[in-house]
Amino acid sequence: METAHAVPTLSIVMPVFNREDEVQEMILSIQANTFTDWELLCIDDGSDASCIELLKNFSAADPRIHFLQRERMPKGAPTCRNIGLEAARGKYIIFFDSDDYITPECLATRVNAMEQHPENDFMTAPSMVLTDGRFVYDKGSFMFGYPAFGTDDVNHFCRRILPFVVCNNIYRLASLHKANIVWDEALKSMQDADFNLTALTAGLRYAYIDCPPDYAYRINSTGAITQKMYTNEHNISFLHAIDKFYALTATYGRRCHTALFEGVILLYNRVSFQSANHDFATKAIDIIRRYDTCHARIFATIMWLTRMLEHIVSKKRARQLPVLYYILKNKRIVKQKGTAISAILQHTTHLAEYHPLVTRQ
């Protein structure tokens, strides 16, 4: 066991906001790892007293676990992750969610991969979905960290079909500092896509780790942001992300514009499903026009058709019919992703197995 002042090889940054049962499971799974030279930075985002007490108890019992509190605005995971990024001392850094679960081999696999590939700034490992304590295949929708798309990950992030999320990755801390990569605290969602697209467009080198899934992503958490991500506040955040994604990929020329446009259309379809938000579309068109006048005109035409169709069909049909091509194309790509991941998993021994959750002693 390291002393409290030893410099660890790995820093783990984990924002926490309530859900103490799931937080406990996650911390226990980290403690159960075969690799032990780590520090866990638990950054509290305003949790209830019971969750704070849990974190303090873990910190008191294990000198590798550090309890920090967010003492500045804005509230949210990006701010907490930046606080952790500033406090991290390790050679490598991982960002985990507090309500998920990792295998006992996860940390060793990732650190060893980075040690064996000093040419890479980060590496990404595969994950599955956590259901009833089991690692479950989810047909591709929430399966990340697999080389299922070849080498064009930038376009897939633009299209909002994520090849990997931040929890899949282990980063060289010095590489993030050198490229000045931090979390955008103005984003209420799309934070993973933004962080990873920023890393890719900054030229960070990476590779996929050939290993069994080592991370389980809990999609049915009561605190999941996807359950409340279509408020007006989130719409403003979406518009900020759209503008930023176009700016980040500007050096790629028009190569990314089709993927970016398709991503905006799919986002518009989801936003409008919640709020019939013509205002969101109008503002998105204004952003796109600064980068691609052709796609701005196409989107304006889609909106005109939608308004015309609203007089003869339901608002849902009026929204969907003009963008049906993009909806079907997205479903086809997601299906292709699922098929590719399924083929990869057939060659692992963990497809039909699961790691039971660690129980507290």
PDB file of all heavy atoms in Angstrom, residues 106-123:
ATOM      1  N   CYS A 106      -9.247  -4.129 -15.235  1.00  0.00           N
ATOM      2  CA  CYS A 106      -9.382  -2.905 -16.027  1.00  0.00           C
ATOM      3  C   CYS A 106      -8.159  -2.001 -15.933  1.00  0.00           C
ATOM      4  O   CYS A 106      -7.565  -1.629 -16.962  1.00  0.00           O
ATOM      5  CB  CYS A 106     -10.626  -2.143 -15.576  1.00  0.00           C
ATOM      6  SG  CYS A 106     -10.825  -0.513 -16.326  1.00  0.00           S
ATOM      7  N   LEU A 107      -7.763  -1.619 -14.744  1.00  0.00           N
ATOM      8  CA  LEU A 107      -6.688  -0.639 -14.584  1.00  0.00           C
ATOM      9  C   LEU A 107      -5.354  -1.192 -15.069  1.00  0.00           C
ATOM     10  O   LEU A 107      -4.581  -0.496 -15.739  1.00  0.00           O
ATOM     11  CB  LEU A 107      -6.587  -0.202 -13.125  1.00  0.00           C
ATOM     12  CG  LEU A 107      -7.863   0.404 -12.521  1.00  0.00           C
ATOM     13  CD1 LEU A 107      -7.613   0.846 -11.081  1.00  0.00           C
ATOM     14  CD2 LEU A 107      -8.381   1.555 -13.361  1.00  0.00           C
ATOM     15  N   ALA A 108      -5.071  -2.455 -14.758  1.00  0.00           N
ATOM     16  CA  ALA A 108      -3.812  -3.064 -15.198  1.00  0.00           C
ATOM     17  C   ALA A 108      -3.744  -3.141 -16.714  1.00  0.00           C
ATOM     18  O   ALA A 108      -2.701  -2.845 -17.320  1.00  0.00           O
ATOM     19  CB  ALA A 108      -3.666  -4.460 -14.592  1.00  0.00           C
ATOM     20  N   THR A 109      -4.858  -3.526 -17.340  1.00  0.00           N
ATOM     21  CA  THR A 109      -4.896  -3.625 -18.799  1.00  0.00           C
ATOM     22  C   THR A 109      -4.583  -2.285 -19.447  1.00  0.00           C
ATOM     23  O   THR A 109      -3.779  -2.194 -20.386  1.00  0.00           O
ATOM     24  CB  THR A 109      -6.277  -4.114 -19.260  1.00  0.00           C
ATOM     25  OG1 THR A 109      -6.504  -5.430 -18.737  1.00  0.00           O
ATOM     26  CG2 THR A 109      -6.363  -4.152 -20.776  1.00  0.00           C
ATOM     27  N   ARG A 110      -5.188  -1.237 -18.942  1.00  0.00           N
ATOM     28  CA  ARG A 110      -5.021   0.078 -19.560  1.00  0.00           C
ATOM     29  C   ARG A 110      -3.624   0.653 -19.306  1.00  0.00           C
ATOM     30  O   ARG A 110      -2.999   1.201 -20.223  1.00  0.00           O
ATOM     31  CB  ARG A 110      -6.108   1.029 -19.044  1.00  0.00           C
ATOM     32  CG  ARG A 110      -7.515   0.573 -19.419  1.00  0.00           C
ATOM     33  CD  ARG A 110      -8.543   1.640 -19.102  1.00  0.00           C
ATOM     34  NE  ARG A 110      -9.915   1.169 -19.324  1.00  0.00           N
ATOM     35  CZ  ARG A 110     -10.974   1.953 -19.349  1.00  0.00           C
ATOM     36  NH1 ARG A 110     -10.829   3.258 -19.141  1.00  0.00           N
ATOM     37  NH2 ARG A 110     -12.177   1.470 -19.560  1.00  0.00           N
ATOM     38  N   VAL A 111      -3.143   0.545 -18.088  1.00  0.00           N
ATOM     39  CA  VAL A 111      -1.804   1.066 -17.793  1.00  0.00           C
ATOM     40  C   VAL A 111      -0.748   0.302 -18.585  1.00  0.00           C
ATOM     41  O   VAL A 111       0.169   0.900 -19.171  1.00  0.00           O
ATOM     42  CB  VAL A 111      -1.517   1.000 -16.282  1.00  0.00           C
ATOM     43  CG1 VAL A 111      -0.039   1.313 -16.000  1.00  0.00           C
ATOM     44  CG2 VAL A 111      -2.407   1.984 -15.525  1.00  0.00           C
ATOM     45  N   ASN A 112      -0.865  -1.022 -18.637  1.00  0.00           N
ATOM     46  CA  ASN A 112       0.103  -1.821 -19.389  1.00  0.00           C
ATOM     47  C   ASN A 112       0.088  -1.446 -20.870  1.00  0.00           C
ATOM     48  O   ASN A 112       1.140  -1.392 -21.524  1.00  0.00           O
ATOM     49  CB  ASN A 112      -0.201  -3.315 -19.223  1.00  0.00           C
ATOM     50  CG  ASN A 112       0.124  -3.825 -17.838  1.00  0.00           C
ATOM     51  OD1 ASN A 112       0.921  -3.207 -17.113  1.00  0.00           O
ATOM     52  ND2 ASN A 112      -0.476  -4.936 -17.445  1.00  0.00           N
ATOM     53  N   ALA A 113      -1.097  -1.188 -21.419  1.00  0.00           N
ATOM     54  CA  ALA A 113      -1.188  -0.804 -22.831  1.00  0.00           C
ATOM     55  C   ALA A 113      -0.457   0.510 -23.080  1.00  0.00           C
ATOM     56  O   ALA A 113       0.259   0.661 -24.079  1.00  0.00           O
ATOM     57  CB  ALA A 113      -2.651  -0.683 -23.244  1.00  0.00           C
ATOM     58  N   MET A 114      -0.600   1.468 -22.181  1.00  0.00           N
ATOM     59  CA  MET A 114       0.096   2.743 -22.343  1.00  0.00           C
ATOM     60  C   MET A 114       1.600   2.586 -22.179  1.00  0.00           C
ATOM     61  O   MET A 114       2.393   3.218 -22.904  1.00  0.00           O
ATOM     62  CB  MET A 114      -0.439   3.752 -21.327  1.00  0.00           C
ATOM     63  CG  MET A 114      -1.859   4.207 -21.595  1.00  0.00           C
ATOM     64  SD  MET A 114      -2.063   5.095 -23.164  1.00  0.00           S
ATOM     65  CE  MET A 114      -1.251   6.659 -22.796  1.00  0.00           C
ATOM     66  N   GLU A 115       2.012   1.737 -21.262  1.00  0.00           N
ATOM     67  CA  GLU A 115       3.443   1.499 -21.051  1.00  0.00           C
ATOM     68  C   GLU A 115       4.070   0.853 -22.286  1.00  0.00           C
ATOM     69  O   GLU A 115       5.219   1.143 -22.638  1.00  0.00           O
ATOM     70  CB  GLU A 115       3.650   0.613 -19.825  1.00  0.00           C
ATOM     71  CG  GLU A 115       3.298   1.276 -18.502  1.00  0.00           C
ATOM     72  CD  GLU A 115       4.323   2.300 -18.077  1.00  0.00           C
ATOM     73  OE1 GLU A 115       5.458   1.908 -17.758  1.00  0.00           O
ATOM     74  OE2 GLU A 115       3.991   3.510 -18.068  1.00  0.00           O
ATOM     75  N   GLN A 116       3.314  -0.021 -22.937  1.00  0.00           N
ATOM     76  CA  GLN A 116       3.826  -0.725 -24.109  1.00  0.00           C
ATOM     77  C   GLN A 116       3.779   0.133 -25.372  1.00  0.00           C
ATOM     78  O   GLN A 116       4.415  -0.203 -26.367  1.00  0.00           O
ATOM     79  CB  GLN A 116       3.024  -2.011 -24.325  1.00  0.00           C
ATOM     80  CG  GLN A 116       3.220  -3.046 -23.225  1.00  0.00           C
ATOM     81  CD  GLN A 116       2.226  -4.184 -23.313  1.00  0.00           C
ATOM     82  OE1 GLN A 116       1.544  -4.344 -24.324  1.00  0.00           O
ATOM     83  NE2 GLN A 116       2.138  -4.979 -22.253  1.00  0.00           N
ATOM     84  N   HIS A 117       3.025   1.240 -25.328  1.00  0.00           N
ATOM     85  CA  HIS A 117       2.885   2.089 -26.513  1.00  0.00           C
ATOM     86  C   HIS A 117       3.124   3.549 -26.143  1.00  0.00           C
ATOM     87  O   HIS A 117       2.194   4.366 -26.131  1.00  0.00           O
ATOM     88  CB  HIS A 117       1.492   1.915 -27.126  1.00  0.00           C
ATOM     89  CG  HIS A 117       1.245   0.547 -27.678  1.00  0.00           C
ATOM     90  ND1 HIS A 117       1.697   0.158 -28.922  1.00  0.00           N
ATOM     91  CD2 HIS A 117       0.616  -0.531 -27.138  1.00  0.00           C
ATOM     92  CE1 HIS A 117       1.341  -1.101 -29.141  1.00  0.00           C
ATOM     93  NE2 HIS A 117       0.695  -1.541 -28.076  1.00  0.00           N
ATOM     94  N   PRO A 118       4.380   3.902 -25.877  1.00  0.00           N
ATOM     95  CA  PRO A 118       4.694   5.288 -25.485  1.00  0.00           C
ATOM     96  C   PRO A 118       4.445   6.296 -26.600  1.00  0.00           C
ATOM     97  O   PRO A 118       4.436   7.498 -26.343  1.00  0.00           O
ATOM     98  CB  PRO A 118       6.182   5.209 -25.119  1.00  0.00           C
ATOM     99  CG  PRO A 118       6.702   4.023 -25.868  1.00  0.00           C
ATOM    100  CD  PRO A 118       5.577   3.039 -25.886  1.00  0.00           C
ATOM    101  N   GLU A 119       4.222   5.813 -27.817  1.00  0.00           N
ATOM    102  CA  GLU A 119       3.953   6.732 -28.925  1.00  0.00           C
ATOM    103  C   GLU A 119       2.529   7.296 -28.877  1.00  0.00           C
ATOM    104  O   GLU A 119       2.229   8.286 -29.561  1.00  0.00           O
ATOM    105  CB  GLU A 119       4.160   6.023 -30.266  1.00  0.00           C
ATOM    106  CG  GLU A 119       3.102   5.009 -30.670  1.00  0.00           C
ATOM    107  CD  GLU A 119       3.258   3.640 -30.009  1.00  0.00           C
ATOM    108  OE1 GLU A 119       4.128   3.495 -29.124  1.00  0.00           O
ATOM    109  OE2 GLU A 119       2.512   2.707 -30.380  1.00  0.00           O
ATOM    110  N   ASN A 120       1.658   6.687 -28.066  1.00  0.00           N
ATOM    111  CA  ASN A 120       0.265   7.109 -28.022  1.00  0.00           C
ATOM    112  C   ASN A 120       0.008   8.080 -26.870  1.00  0.00           C
ATOM    113  O   ASN A 120       0.554   7.931 -25.772  1.00  0.00           O
ATOM    114  CB  ASN A 120      -0.658   5.895 -27.875  1.00  0.00           C
ATOM    115  CG  ASN A 120      -0.736   5.077 -29.145  1.00  0.00           C
ATOM    116  OD1 ASN A 120      -0.659   5.622 -30.252  1.00  0.00           O
ATOM    117  ND2 ASN A 120      -0.868   3.770 -29.014  1.00  0.00           N
ATOM    118  N   ASP A 121      -0.867   9.043 -27.136  1.00  0.00           N
ATOM    119  CA  ASP A 121      -1.286   9.987 -26.100  1.00  0.00           C
ATOM    120  C   ASP A 121      -2.456   9.438 -25.291  1.00  0.00           C
ATOM    121  O   ASP A 121      -2.640   9.823 -24.138  1.00  0.00           O
ATOM    122  CB  ASP A 121      -1.690  11.311 -26.737  1.00  0.00           C
ATOM    123  CG  ASP A 121      -0.533  11.964 -27.485  1.00  0.00           C
ATOM    124  OD1 ASP A 121       0.476  12.296 -26.842  1.00  0.00           O
ATOM    125  OD2 ASP A 121      -0.646  12.126 -28.716  1.00  0.00           O
ATOM    126  N   PHE A 122      -3.253   8.584 -25.894  1.00  0.00           N
ATOM    127  CA  PHE A 122      -4.286   7.886 -25.137  1.00  0.00           C
ATOM    128  C   PHE A 122      -4.638   6.596 -25.854  1.00  0.00           C
ATOM    129  O   PHE A 122      -4.310   6.403 -27.025  1.00  0.00           O
ATOM    130  CB  PHE A 122      -5.537   8.756 -24.918  1.00  0.00           C
ATOM    131  CG  PHE A 122      -6.391   9.008 -26.138  1.00  0.00           C
ATOM    132  CD1 PHE A 122      -7.494   8.209 -26.417  1.00  0.00           C
ATOM    133  CD2 PHE A 122      -6.132  10.084 -26.979  1.00  0.00           C
ATOM    134  CE1 PHE A 122      -8.299   8.462 -27.513  1.00  0.00           C
ATOM    135  CE2 PHE A 122      -6.938  10.351 -28.089  1.00  0.00           C
ATOM    136  CZ  PHE A 122      -8.021   9.535 -28.353  1.00  0.00           C
ATOM    137  N   MET A 123      -5.295   5.695 -25.109  1.00  0.00           N
ATOM    138  CA  MET A 123      -5.749   4.435 -25.682  1.00  0.00           C
ATOM    139  C   MET A 123      -7.149   4.162 -25.158  1.00  0.00           C
ATOM    140  O   MET A 123      -7.539   4.614 -24.079  1.00  0.00           O
ATOM    141  CB  MET A 123      -4.782   3.290 -25.346  1.00  0.00           C
ATOM    142  CG  MET A 123      -3.381   3.513 -25.906  1.00  0.00           C
ATOM    143  SD  MET A 123      -2.280   2.087 -25.750  1.00  0.00           S
ATOM    144  CE  MET A 123      -2.944   0.996 -27.019  1.00  0.00           C
TER     145      MET A 123
END
